[in-house]
Amino acid sequence: MRPLKHLFGIADLDREQIEYLVNLGHSFIDINRRSLKKAPTLRGKTIINLFFENSTRTRTSFELAGKRLSGDVINISASTSATTKGESLLDTAQTLAAMQPHVLVIRHSLAGTCELLADYLPHTALVNAGDGAHEHPTQILTDLLTLKQAWGSPEGKVITIVGDIAHSRVARSHLLAAKKLGYTMRVVAPKTLLPSKIERYGCEVYNDFDAALPGSDAVYLLRIQTERLTDSCAFPSIREYHEAYGLNAKRLRAAGPDCIVMHPGPMNRGVEIATEVADSAKSHILSQVEHGVAVRMAVLTTLCGGTGEEA
Ligand code: NCD
């Protein structure tokens, strides 16, 4: 496999690397389910999580992944970092890198943050934990592990992704992964929440959710990214949005008996997803959360030069 120095985005990974990380993640699921959740894989390795945007799942799962593999993990959030005292992103990153961590995991609102910093931090592996509306590679690896568990392989399947496509790094990374792994993405959104020239990703585009449902193997819901929304008129009201683009039990039935439901979280119940669906047996949302830890174990292990054998 082509060696991995950083994890910037799905765009930089080839199929073999994606499958390697997903399969390695698969082998870590068991550790997280044991009563003694510890393996020596990252002993002596230091991981710093630097989060400038809010996070529950991603930050916690990187922290658990590092700790369960015996790494030393430090968490820094924007509100407690010296950036609030006027320090630049580059100075903060260089300061942390001077303390010789092996991996710096970064979430920032700026697209391309990790690529930008990489030139200045030659000895630190960088992981993109979400950069603005650009990419979120570990979420997609997490989803692919969930799909591996559900289907074996996503090849030939149809994933219908619904919601704020325009501002979603999750949607963008999935569109890139779909091409590499041979699954179809159907994107569904009002025109105001679709990026221009979305067809260039090779996806199917719908404005009508009900028209997109038949033949979907999974429906993947997205939150409206209010923090990135500049247009207050993107849709008339939450109630109307839910009526047109919310997944309820009736719509899920229209998709067919085997269709599964996914969401990267955080969910807004009653907006993009009805509670009856979120809590149903068709929902794989909590499996996605569980697999997030295993996949991040795989990413940290690989970037620290390990193979996971020790675990
Ligand atoms: C996503 C993110 O931050 O991009 N959440 C996550 O990492 N699980 C999606 C979102 O915020 O809506």
PDB file of all heavy atoms in Angstrom, residues 51 53-59 107 129-132 135-136 138-139 167-170 220-225 227-228 263-267 272 296, ligand 1:
ATOM      1  N   PHE A  51      -8.963  21.333  18.506  1.00  0.00           N
ATOM      2  CA  PHE A  51     -10.299  21.549  17.934  1.00  0.00           C
ATOM      3  C   PHE A  51     -10.720  23.016  18.038  1.00  0.00           C
ATOM      4  O   PHE A  51     -10.903  23.534  19.127  1.00  0.00           O
ATOM      5  CB  PHE A  51     -11.328  20.634  18.619  1.00  0.00           C
ATOM      6  CG  PHE A  51     -11.364  19.254  18.022  1.00  0.00           C
ATOM      7  CD1 PHE A  51     -10.239  18.437  18.049  1.00  0.00           C
ATOM      8  CD2 PHE A  51     -12.505  18.771  17.407  1.00  0.00           C
ATOM      9  CE1 PHE A  51     -10.252  17.172  17.466  1.00  0.00           C
ATOM     10  CE2 PHE A  51     -12.542  17.503  16.827  1.00  0.00           C
ATOM     11  CZ  PHE A  51     -11.411  16.706  16.858  1.00  0.00           C
ATOM     12  N   GLU A  53     -13.461  23.974  16.270  1.00  0.00           N
ATOM     13  CA  GLU A  53     -14.919  23.945  16.081  1.00  0.00           C
ATOM     14  C   GLU A  53     -15.478  22.928  17.065  1.00  0.00           C
ATOM     15  O   GLU A  53     -14.781  21.999  17.471  1.00  0.00           O
ATOM     16  CB  GLU A  53     -15.280  23.465  14.667  1.00  0.00           C
ATOM     17  CG  GLU A  53     -15.143  24.496  13.585  1.00  0.00           C
ATOM     18  CD  GLU A  53     -15.727  23.977  12.249  1.00  0.00           C
ATOM     19  OE1 GLU A  53     -15.909  22.764  12.093  1.00  0.00           O
ATOM     20  OE2 GLU A  53     -15.993  24.814  11.384  1.00  0.00           O
ATOM     21  N   ASN A  54     -16.764  23.091  17.401  1.00  0.00           N
ATOM     22  CA  ASN A  54     -17.397  22.193  18.368  1.00  0.00           C
ATOM     23  C   ASN A  54     -17.421  20.755  17.870  1.00  0.00           C
ATOM     24  O   ASN A  54     -17.474  20.505  16.664  1.00  0.00           O
ATOM     25  CB  ASN A  54     -18.845  22.622  18.627  1.00  0.00           C
ATOM     26  CG  ASN A  54     -18.878  23.974  19.291  1.00  0.00           C
ATOM     27  OD1 ASN A  54     -17.882  24.404  19.867  1.00  0.00           O
ATOM     28  ND2 ASN A  54     -20.014  24.640  19.209  1.00  0.00           N
ATOM     29  N   SER A  55     -17.388  19.842  18.807  1.00  0.00           N
ATOM     30  CA  SER A  55     -17.431  18.423  18.437  1.00  0.00           C
ATOM     31  C   SER A  55     -17.747  17.585  19.668  1.00  0.00           C
ATOM     32  O   SER A  55     -17.240  17.862  20.754  1.00  0.00           O
ATOM     33  CB  SER A  55     -16.061  18.012  17.881  1.00  0.00           C
ATOM     34  OG  SER A  55     -16.036  16.622  17.637  1.00  0.00           O
ATOM     35  N   THR A  56     -18.593  16.594  19.492  1.00  0.00           N
ATOM     36  CA  THR A  56     -18.808  15.596  20.549  1.00  0.00           C
ATOM     37  C   THR A  56     -18.194  14.277  20.098  1.00  0.00           C
ATOM     38  O   THR A  56     -17.247  13.761  20.688  1.00  0.00           O
ATOM     39  CB  THR A  56     -20.319  15.382  20.812  1.00  0.00           C
ATOM     40  OG1 THR A  56     -20.899  16.629  21.145  1.00  0.00           O
ATOM     41  CG2 THR A  56     -20.540  14.387  21.952  1.00  0.00           C
ATOM     42  N   ARG A  57     -18.712  13.732  18.981  1.00  0.00           N
ATOM     43  CA  ARG A  57     -18.314  12.412  18.501  1.00  0.00           C
ATOM     44  C   ARG A  57     -16.855  12.355  18.050  1.00  0.00           C
ATOM     45  O   ARG A  57     -16.097  11.481  18.480  1.00  0.00           O
ATOM     46  CB  ARG A  57     -19.186  11.987  17.292  1.00  0.00           C
ATOM     47  CG  ARG A  57     -20.514  11.425  17.648  1.00  0.00           C
ATOM     48  CD  ARG A  57     -21.533  11.771  16.577  1.00  0.00           C
ATOM     49  NE  ARG A  57     -21.924  13.151  16.801  1.00  0.00           N
ATOM     50  CZ  ARG A  57     -22.989  13.496  17.512  1.00  0.00           C
ATOM     51  NH1 ARG A  57     -23.782  12.581  17.971  1.00  0.00           N
ATOM     52  NH2 ARG A  57     -23.266  14.761  17.754  1.00  0.00           N
ATOM     53  N   THR A  58     -16.486  13.263  17.176  1.00  0.00           N
ATOM     54  CA  THR A  58     -15.155  13.164  16.572  1.00  0.00           C
ATOM     55  C   THR A  58     -14.060  13.338  17.623  1.00  0.00           C
ATOM     56  O   THR A  58     -13.125  12.549  17.711  1.00  0.00           O
ATOM     57  CB  THR A  58     -15.006  14.217  15.449  1.00  0.00           C
ATOM     58  OG1 THR A  58     -16.107  14.070  14.553  1.00  0.00           O
ATOM     59  CG2 THR A  58     -13.717  14.047  14.687  1.00  0.00           C
ATOM     60  N   ARG A  59     -14.219  14.359  18.465  1.00  0.00           N
ATOM     61  CA  ARG A  59     -13.183  14.625  19.472  1.00  0.00           C
ATOM     62  C   ARG A  59     -13.086  13.486  20.486  1.00  0.00           C
ATOM     63  O   ARG A  59     -12.009  12.995  20.805  1.00  0.00           O
ATOM     64  CB  ARG A  59     -13.472  15.951  20.166  1.00  0.00           C
ATOM     65  CG  ARG A  59     -12.211  16.656  20.623  1.00  0.00           C
ATOM     66  CD  ARG A  59     -12.471  17.452  21.847  1.00  0.00           C
ATOM     67  NE  ARG A  59     -12.897  16.543  22.913  1.00  0.00           N
ATOM     68  CZ  ARG A  59     -12.795  16.799  24.196  1.00  0.00           C
ATOM     69  NH1 ARG A  59     -12.302  17.936  24.584  1.00  0.00           N
ATOM     70  NH2 ARG A  59     -13.180  15.937  25.097  1.00  0.00           N
ATOM     71  N   ARG A 107      -9.346  20.145  13.852  1.00  0.00           N
ATOM     72  CA  ARG A 107     -10.635  20.576  13.284  1.00  0.00           C
ATOM     73  C   ARG A 107     -10.638  22.099  13.253  1.00  0.00           C
ATOM     74  O   ARG A 107     -10.379  22.751  14.259  1.00  0.00           O
ATOM     75  CB  ARG A 107     -11.808  20.061  14.115  1.00  0.00           C
ATOM     76  CG  ARG A 107     -13.131  20.674  13.680  1.00  0.00           C
ATOM     77  CD  ARG A 107     -14.324  20.027  14.326  1.00  0.00           C
ATOM     78  NE  ARG A 107     -14.622  18.747  13.703  1.00  0.00           N
ATOM     79  CZ  ARG A 107     -15.788  18.100  13.858  1.00  0.00           C
ATOM     80  NH1 ARG A 107     -16.732  18.603  14.613  1.00  0.00           N
ATOM     81  NH2 ARG A 107     -15.991  16.936  13.265  1.00  0.00           N
ATOM     82  N   ALA A 129      -9.735  16.522  10.992  1.00  0.00           N
ATOM     83  CA  ALA A 129     -10.952  16.071  11.693  1.00  0.00           C
ATOM     84  C   ALA A 129     -12.150  16.926  11.283  1.00  0.00           C
ATOM     85  O   ALA A 129     -13.121  17.036  12.020  1.00  0.00           O
ATOM     86  CB  ALA A 129     -10.725  16.149  13.198  1.00  0.00           C
ATOM     87  N   GLY A 130     -12.064  17.521  10.099  1.00  0.00           N
ATOM     88  CA  GLY A 130     -13.119  18.386   9.574  1.00  0.00           C
ATOM     89  C   GLY A 130     -12.568  19.769   9.340  1.00  0.00           C
ATOM     90  O   GLY A 130     -12.115  20.421  10.274  1.00  0.00           O
ATOM     91  N   ASP A 131     -12.558  20.209   8.060  1.00  0.00           N
ATOM     92  CA  ASP A 131     -12.058  21.555   7.737  1.00  0.00           C
ATOM     93  C   ASP A 131     -13.125  22.318   6.957  1.00  0.00           C
ATOM     94  O   ASP A 131     -13.248  22.185   5.756  1.00  0.00           O
ATOM     95  CB  ASP A 131     -10.709  21.500   6.982  1.00  0.00           C
ATOM     96  CG  ASP A 131     -10.761  20.693   5.693  1.00  0.00           C
ATOM     97  OD1 ASP A 131     -11.689  19.864   5.517  1.00  0.00           O
ATOM     98  OD2 ASP A 131      -9.877  20.899   4.842  1.00  0.00           O
ATOM     99  N   GLY A 132     -13.881  23.114   7.684  1.00  0.00           N
ATOM    100  CA  GLY A 132     -14.956  23.898   7.063  1.00  0.00           C
ATOM    101  C   GLY A 132     -15.909  22.996   6.300  1.00  0.00           C
ATOM    102  O   GLY A 132     -16.251  21.911   6.763  1.00  0.00           O
ATOM    103  N   GLU A 135     -13.705  18.783   3.790  1.00  0.00           N
ATOM    104  CA  GLU A 135     -13.610  17.305   3.896  1.00  0.00           C
ATOM    105  C   GLU A 135     -13.702  16.844   5.348  1.00  0.00           C
ATOM    106  O   GLU A 135     -13.363  17.592   6.285  1.00  0.00           O
ATOM    107  CB  GLU A 135     -12.295  16.817   3.289  1.00  0.00           C
ATOM    108  CG  GLU A 135     -12.349  16.648   1.770  1.00  0.00           C
ATOM    109  CD  GLU A 135     -11.940  15.242   1.318  1.00  0.00           C
ATOM    110  OE1 GLU A 135     -12.334  14.249   1.956  1.00  0.00           O
ATOM    111  OE2 GLU A 135     -11.211  15.161   0.314  1.00  0.00           O
ATOM    112  N   HIS A 136     -14.114  15.615   5.527  1.00  0.00           N
ATOM    113  CA  HIS A 136     -14.184  14.994   6.856  1.00  0.00           C
ATOM    114  C   HIS A 136     -13.863  13.501   6.675  1.00  0.00           C
ATOM    115  O   HIS A 136     -14.738  12.646   6.802  1.00  0.00           O
ATOM    116  CB  HIS A 136     -15.586  15.200   7.430  1.00  0.00           C
ATOM    117  CG  HIS A 136     -15.706  14.906   8.892  1.00  0.00           C
ATOM    118  ND1 HIS A 136     -14.664  14.421   9.663  1.00  0.00           N
ATOM    119  CD2 HIS A 136     -16.767  15.040   9.742  1.00  0.00           C
ATOM    120  CE1 HIS A 136     -15.088  14.264  10.908  1.00  0.00           C
ATOM    121  NE2 HIS A 136     -16.353  14.629  10.984  1.00  0.00           N
ATOM    122  N   THR A 138     -12.329  11.027   8.255  1.00  0.00           N
ATOM    123  CA  THR A 138     -12.536   9.937   9.230  1.00  0.00           C
ATOM    124  C   THR A 138     -14.026   9.619   9.403  1.00  0.00           C
ATOM    125  O   THR A 138     -14.376   8.504   9.780  1.00  0.00           O
ATOM    126  CB  THR A 138     -11.874  10.216  10.603  1.00  0.00           C
ATOM    127  OG1 THR A 138     -12.383  11.434  11.144  1.00  0.00           O
ATOM    128  CG2 THR A 138     -10.362  10.301  10.478  1.00  0.00           C
ATOM    129  N   GLN A 139     -14.901  10.586   9.117  1.00  0.00           N
ATOM    130  CA  GLN A 139     -16.343  10.278   9.171  1.00  0.00           C
ATOM    131  C   GLN A 139     -16.705   9.297   8.053  1.00  0.00           C
ATOM    132  O   GLN A 139     -17.469   8.354   8.256  1.00  0.00           O
ATOM    133  CB  GLN A 139     -17.169  11.567   9.040  1.00  0.00           C
ATOM    134  CG  GLN A 139     -18.678  11.322   9.085  1.00  0.00           C
ATOM    135  CD  GLN A 139     -19.140  10.749  10.418  1.00  0.00           C
ATOM    136  OE1 GLN A 139     -18.781  11.254  11.470  1.00  0.00           O
ATOM    137  NE2 GLN A 139     -19.926   9.677  10.391  1.00  0.00           N
ATOM    138  N   HIS A 167     -23.177  22.897   2.286  1.00  0.00           N
ATOM    139  CA  HIS A 167     -22.249  23.267   3.368  1.00  0.00           C
ATOM    140  C   HIS A 167     -21.694  22.060   4.103  1.00  0.00           C
ATOM    141  O   HIS A 167     -21.147  22.194   5.190  1.00  0.00           O
ATOM    142  CB  HIS A 167     -22.960  24.186   4.363  1.00  0.00           C
ATOM    143  CG  HIS A 167     -23.527  25.410   3.728  1.00  0.00           C
ATOM    144  ND1 HIS A 167     -24.839  25.528   3.360  1.00  0.00           N
ATOM    145  CD2 HIS A 167     -22.923  26.569   3.341  1.00  0.00           C
ATOM    146  CE1 HIS A 167     -25.040  26.702   2.798  1.00  0.00           C
ATOM    147  NE2 HIS A 167     -23.896  27.355   2.767  1.00  0.00           N
ATOM    148  N   SER A 168     -21.869  20.870   3.532  1.00  0.00           N
ATOM    149  CA  SER A 168     -21.495  19.654   4.260  1.00  0.00           C
ATOM    150  C   SER A 168     -20.186  19.053   3.775  1.00  0.00           C
ATOM    151  O   SER A 168     -20.076  18.576   2.645  1.00  0.00           O
ATOM    152  CB  SER A 168     -22.607  18.611   4.122  1.00  0.00           C
ATOM    153  OG  SER A 168     -22.168  17.379   4.652  1.00  0.00           O
ATOM    154  N   ARG A 169     -19.212  19.010   4.675  1.00  0.00           N
ATOM    155  CA  ARG A 169     -17.946  18.331   4.354  1.00  0.00           C
ATOM    156  C   ARG A 169     -18.159  16.819   4.289  1.00  0.00           C
ATOM    157  O   ARG A 169     -17.455  16.116   3.582  1.00  0.00           O
ATOM    158  CB  ARG A 169     -16.894  18.683   5.396  1.00  0.00           C
ATOM    159  CG  ARG A 169     -17.342  18.464   6.849  1.00  0.00           C
ATOM    160  CD  ARG A 169     -16.393  19.160   7.804  1.00  0.00           C
ATOM    161  NE  ARG A 169     -16.830  19.135   9.183  1.00  0.00           N
ATOM    162  CZ  ARG A 169     -16.504  20.071  10.069  1.00  0.00           C
ATOM    163  NH1 ARG A 169     -15.787  21.099   9.714  1.00  0.00           N
ATOM    164  NH2 ARG A 169     -16.902  19.984  11.318  1.00  0.00           N
ATOM    165  N   VAL A 170     -19.159  16.329   5.027  1.00  0.00           N
ATOM    166  CA  VAL A 170     -19.446  14.890   4.994  1.00  0.00           C
ATOM    167  C   VAL A 170     -19.943  14.504   3.593  1.00  0.00           C
ATOM    168  O   VAL A 170     -19.496  13.501   3.016  1.00  0.00           O
ATOM    169  CB  VAL A 170     -20.494  14.524   6.074  1.00  0.00           C
ATOM    170  CG1 VAL A 170     -20.909  13.069   5.962  1.00  0.00           C
ATOM    171  CG2 VAL A 170     -19.948  14.814   7.471  1.00  0.00           C
ATOM    172  N   TYR A 220     -29.088   8.712   4.016  1.00  0.00           N
ATOM    173  CA  TYR A 220     -28.098   9.350   4.887  1.00  0.00           C
ATOM    174  C   TYR A 220     -28.542  10.793   5.103  1.00  0.00           C
ATOM    175  O   TYR A 220     -28.581  11.591   4.162  1.00  0.00           O
ATOM    176  CB  TYR A 220     -26.735   9.298   4.193  1.00  0.00           C
ATOM    177  CG  TYR A 220     -25.540   9.577   5.073  1.00  0.00           C
ATOM    178  CD1 TYR A 220     -24.643   8.571   5.391  1.00  0.00           C
ATOM    179  CD2 TYR A 220     -25.286  10.853   5.573  1.00  0.00           C
ATOM    180  CE1 TYR A 220     -23.530   8.816   6.197  1.00  0.00           C
ATOM    181  CE2 TYR A 220     -24.183  11.097   6.376  1.00  0.00           C
ATOM    182  CZ  TYR A 220     -23.311  10.081   6.679  1.00  0.00           C
ATOM    183  OH  TYR A 220     -22.206  10.337   7.476  1.00  0.00           O
ATOM    184  N   LEU A 221     -28.925  11.107   6.330  1.00  0.00           N
ATOM    185  CA  LEU A 221     -29.444  12.450   6.609  1.00  0.00           C
ATOM    186  C   LEU A 221     -28.344  13.389   7.077  1.00  0.00           C
ATOM    187  O   LEU A 221     -27.411  12.957   7.753  1.00  0.00           O
ATOM    188  CB  LEU A 221     -30.498  12.385   7.731  1.00  0.00           C
ATOM    189  CG  LEU A 221     -31.878  11.776   7.436  1.00  0.00           C
ATOM    190  CD1 LEU A 221     -32.386  12.161   6.060  1.00  0.00           C
ATOM    191  CD2 LEU A 221     -31.883  10.286   7.608  1.00  0.00           C
ATOM    192  N   LEU A 222     -28.486  14.646   6.701  1.00  0.00           N
ATOM    193  CA  LEU A 222     -27.533  15.679   7.134  1.00  0.00           C
ATOM    194  C   LEU A 222     -28.263  16.779   7.884  1.00  0.00           C
ATOM    195  O   LEU A 222     -29.392  17.127   7.549  1.00  0.00           O
ATOM    196  CB  LEU A 222     -26.845  16.304   5.922  1.00  0.00           C
ATOM    197  CG  LEU A 222     -25.932  15.405   5.091  1.00  0.00           C
ATOM    198  CD1 LEU A 222     -25.542  16.141   3.808  1.00  0.00           C
ATOM    199  CD2 LEU A 222     -24.685  15.008   5.873  1.00  0.00           C
ATOM    200  N   ARG A 223     -27.579  17.325   8.852  1.00  0.00           N
ATOM    201  CA  ARG A 223     -28.068  18.492   9.586  1.00  0.00           C
ATOM    202  C   ARG A 223     -27.948  19.729   8.694  1.00  0.00           C
ATOM    203  O   ARG A 223     -27.060  19.802   7.840  1.00  0.00           O
ATOM    204  CB  ARG A 223     -27.151  18.635  10.814  1.00  0.00           C
ATOM    205  CG  ARG A 223     -27.456  19.704  11.792  1.00  0.00           C
ATOM    206  CD  ARG A 223     -26.456  19.586  12.951  1.00  0.00           C
ATOM    207  NE  ARG A 223     -25.085  19.845  12.529  1.00  0.00           N
ATOM    208  CZ  ARG A 223     -24.513  21.047  12.494  1.00  0.00           C
ATOM    209  NH1 ARG A 223     -25.193  22.118  12.843  1.00  0.00           N
ATOM    210  NH2 ARG A 223     -23.255  21.193  12.113  1.00  0.00           N
ATOM    211  N   ILE A 224     -28.822  20.696   8.904  1.00  0.00           N
ATOM    212  CA  ILE A 224     -28.624  21.990   8.231  1.00  0.00           C
ATOM    213  C   ILE A 224     -27.495  22.703   8.972  1.00  0.00           C
ATOM    214  O   ILE A 224     -27.558  22.882  10.185  1.00  0.00           O
ATOM    215  CB  ILE A 224     -29.921  22.826   8.247  1.00  0.00           C
ATOM    216  CG1 ILE A 224     -31.011  22.088   7.463  1.00  0.00           C
ATOM    217  CG2 ILE A 224     -29.685  24.210   7.654  1.00  0.00           C
ATOM    218  CD1 ILE A 224     -32.393  22.585   7.732  1.00  0.00           C
ATOM    219  N   GLN A 225     -26.449  23.057   8.231  1.00  0.00           N
ATOM    220  CA  GLN A 225     -25.234  23.609   8.856  1.00  0.00           C
ATOM    221  C   GLN A 225     -25.448  25.101   9.112  1.00  0.00           C
ATOM    222  O   GLN A 225     -24.867  25.952   8.416  1.00  0.00           O
ATOM    223  CB  GLN A 225     -24.032  23.375   7.945  1.00  0.00           C
ATOM    224  CG  GLN A 225     -23.877  21.940   7.453  1.00  0.00           C
ATOM    225  CD  GLN A 225     -23.151  21.065   8.453  1.00  0.00           C
ATOM    226  OE1 GLN A 225     -22.131  21.443   9.004  1.00  0.00           O
ATOM    227  NE2 GLN A 225     -23.691  19.880   8.715  1.00  0.00           N
ATOM    228  N   GLU A 227     -24.328  27.098  11.139  1.00  0.00           N
ATOM    229  CA  GLU A 227     -23.134  27.903  11.402  1.00  0.00           C
ATOM    230  C   GLU A 227     -22.445  28.354  10.108  1.00  0.00           C
ATOM    231  O   GLU A 227     -21.638  29.283  10.119  1.00  0.00           O
ATOM    232  CB  GLU A 227     -22.144  27.131  12.307  1.00  0.00           C
ATOM    233  CG  GLU A 227     -21.449  25.912  11.688  1.00  0.00           C
ATOM    234  CD  GLU A 227     -22.259  24.627  11.749  1.00  0.00           C
ATOM    235  OE1 GLU A 227     -23.508  24.684  11.735  1.00  0.00           O
ATOM    236  OE2 GLU A 227     -21.638  23.540  11.762  1.00  0.00           O
ATOM    237  N   ARG A 228     -22.770  27.687   8.978  1.00  0.00           N
ATOM    238  CA  ARG A 228     -22.137  28.077   7.701  1.00  0.00           C
ATOM    239  C   ARG A 228     -23.144  28.705   6.739  1.00  0.00           C
ATOM    240  O   ARG A 228     -22.802  29.024   5.609  1.00  0.00           O
ATOM    241  CB  ARG A 228     -21.522  26.838   7.023  1.00  0.00           C
ATOM    242  CG  ARG A 228     -20.419  26.244   7.831  1.00  0.00           C
ATOM    243  CD  ARG A 228     -19.692  25.103   7.138  1.00  0.00           C
ATOM    244  NE  ARG A 228     -19.018  24.351   8.179  1.00  0.00           N
ATOM    245  CZ  ARG A 228     -19.161  23.061   8.406  1.00  0.00           C
ATOM    246  NH1 ARG A 228     -19.910  22.326   7.608  1.00  0.00           N
ATOM    247  NH2 ARG A 228     -18.537  22.475   9.397  1.00  0.00           N
ATOM    248  N   HIS A 263     -26.706   8.757   9.791  1.00  0.00           N
ATOM    249  CA  HIS A 263     -26.594  10.193  10.100  1.00  0.00           C
ATOM    250  C   HIS A 263     -25.241  10.363  10.807  1.00  0.00           C
ATOM    251  O   HIS A 263     -24.936   9.597  11.712  1.00  0.00           O
ATOM    252  CB  HIS A 263     -27.759  10.591  11.020  1.00  0.00           C
ATOM    253  CG  HIS A 263     -27.961  12.073  11.162  1.00  0.00           C
ATOM    254  ND1 HIS A 263     -26.946  12.944  11.484  1.00  0.00           N
ATOM    255  CD2 HIS A 263     -29.079  12.837  11.024  1.00  0.00           C
ATOM    256  CE1 HIS A 263     -27.429  14.184  11.529  1.00  0.00           C
ATOM    257  NE2 HIS A 263     -28.722  14.153  11.253  1.00  0.00           N
ATOM    258  N   PRO A 264     -24.454  11.373  10.421  1.00  0.00           N
ATOM    259  CA  PRO A 264     -23.144  11.523  11.099  1.00  0.00           C
ATOM    260  C   PRO A 264     -23.277  12.115  12.499  1.00  0.00           C
ATOM    261  O   PRO A 264     -22.316  12.087  13.270  1.00  0.00           O
ATOM    262  CB  PRO A 264     -22.395  12.493  10.180  1.00  0.00           C
ATOM    263  CG  PRO A 264     -23.464  13.313   9.540  1.00  0.00           C
ATOM    264  CD  PRO A 264     -24.656  12.397   9.378  1.00  0.00           C
ATOM    265  N   GLY A 265     -24.471  12.662  12.818  1.00  0.00           N
ATOM    266  CA  GLY A 265     -24.657  13.366  14.074  1.00  0.00           C
ATOM    267  C   GLY A 265     -23.987  14.725  13.997  1.00  0.00           C
ATOM    268  O   GLY A 265     -23.101  14.916  13.164  1.00  0.00           O
ATOM    269  N   PRO A 266     -24.376  15.678  14.795  1.00  0.00           N
ATOM    270  CA  PRO A 266     -25.517  15.653  15.706  1.00  0.00           C
ATOM    271  C   PRO A 266     -26.847  15.734  14.956  1.00  0.00           C
ATOM    272  O   PRO A 266     -26.947  16.454  13.968  1.00  0.00           O
ATOM    273  CB  PRO A 266     -25.302  16.913  16.566  1.00  0.00           C
ATOM    274  CG  PRO A 266     -24.428  17.812  15.748  1.00  0.00           C
ATOM    275  CD  PRO A 266     -23.600  16.944  14.871  1.00  0.00           C
ATOM    276  N   MET A 267     -27.841  14.938  15.447  1.00  0.00           N
ATOM    277  CA  MET A 267     -29.161  14.899  14.795  1.00  0.00           C
ATOM    278  C   MET A 267     -30.021  16.038  15.306  1.00  0.00           C
ATOM    279  O   MET A 267     -29.950  16.367  16.476  1.00  0.00           O
ATOM    280  CB  MET A 267     -29.926  13.642  15.230  1.00  0.00           C
ATOM    281  CG  MET A 267     -29.538  12.382  14.621  1.00  0.00           C
ATOM    282  SD  MET A 267     -30.768  11.137  15.076  1.00  0.00           S
ATOM    283  CE  MET A 267     -30.269  10.626  16.705  1.00  0.00           C
ATOM    284  N   GLU A 272     -34.452  17.075  10.135  1.00  0.00           N
ATOM    285  CA  GLU A 272     -34.084  16.168   9.036  1.00  0.00           C
ATOM    286  C   GLU A 272     -34.505  14.729   9.303  1.00  0.00           C
ATOM    287  O   GLU A 272     -34.558  13.906   8.379  1.00  0.00           O
ATOM    288  CB  GLU A 272     -32.582  16.248   8.725  1.00  0.00           C
ATOM    289  CG  GLU A 272     -31.647  15.630   9.760  1.00  0.00           C
ATOM    290  CD  GLU A 272     -31.249  16.604  10.858  1.00  0.00           C
ATOM    291  OE1 GLU A 272     -31.884  17.662  10.967  1.00  0.00           O
ATOM    292  OE2 GLU A 272     -30.296  16.298  11.610  1.00  0.00           O
ATOM    293  N   ARG A 296     -10.763   5.481  14.013  1.00  0.00           N
ATOM    294  CA  ARG A 296      -9.722   6.442  14.444  1.00  0.00           C
ATOM    295  C   ARG A 296      -8.537   5.708  15.073  1.00  0.00           C
ATOM    296  O   ARG A 296      -7.403   6.164  14.982  1.00  0.00           O
ATOM    297  CB  ARG A 296     -10.338   7.510  15.327  1.00  0.00           C
ATOM    298  CG  ARG A 296     -11.126   8.469  14.431  1.00  0.00           C
ATOM    299  CD  ARG A 296     -12.176   9.283  15.062  1.00  0.00           C
ATOM    300  NE  ARG A 296     -12.878  10.036  14.012  1.00  0.00           N
ATOM    301  CZ  ARG A 296     -14.196  10.084  13.856  1.00  0.00           C
ATOM    302  NH1 ARG A 296     -15.000   9.421  14.666  1.00  0.00           N
ATOM    303  NH2 ARG A 296     -14.727  10.783  12.866  1.00  0.00           N
TER     304      ARG A 296
HETATM  305  C1  NCD B   1     -20.338  16.351  11.208  1.00  0.00           C
HETATM  306  C2  NCD B   1     -19.284  17.427  11.108  1.00  0.00           C
HETATM  307  O1  NCD B   1     -18.830  17.970  12.099  1.00  0.00           O
HETATM  308  O2  NCD B   1     -18.943  17.714   9.986  1.00  0.00           O
HETATM  309  N1  NCD B   1     -20.421  15.774  12.480  1.00  0.00           N
HETATM  310  C3  NCD B   1     -19.502  14.847  12.895  1.00  0.00           C
HETATM  311  O3  NCD B   1     -18.311  15.028  12.791  1.00  0.00           O
HETATM  312  N2  NCD B   1     -19.987  13.699  13.368  1.00  0.00           N
HETATM  313  C4  NCD B   1     -21.646  16.782  10.689  1.00  0.00           C
HETATM  314  C5  NCD B   1     -22.336  17.965  11.315  1.00  0.00           C
HETATM  315  O4  NCD B   1     -21.776  18.744  12.068  1.00  0.00           O
HETATM  316  O5  NCD B   1     -23.509  18.145  11.001  1.00  0.00           O
END
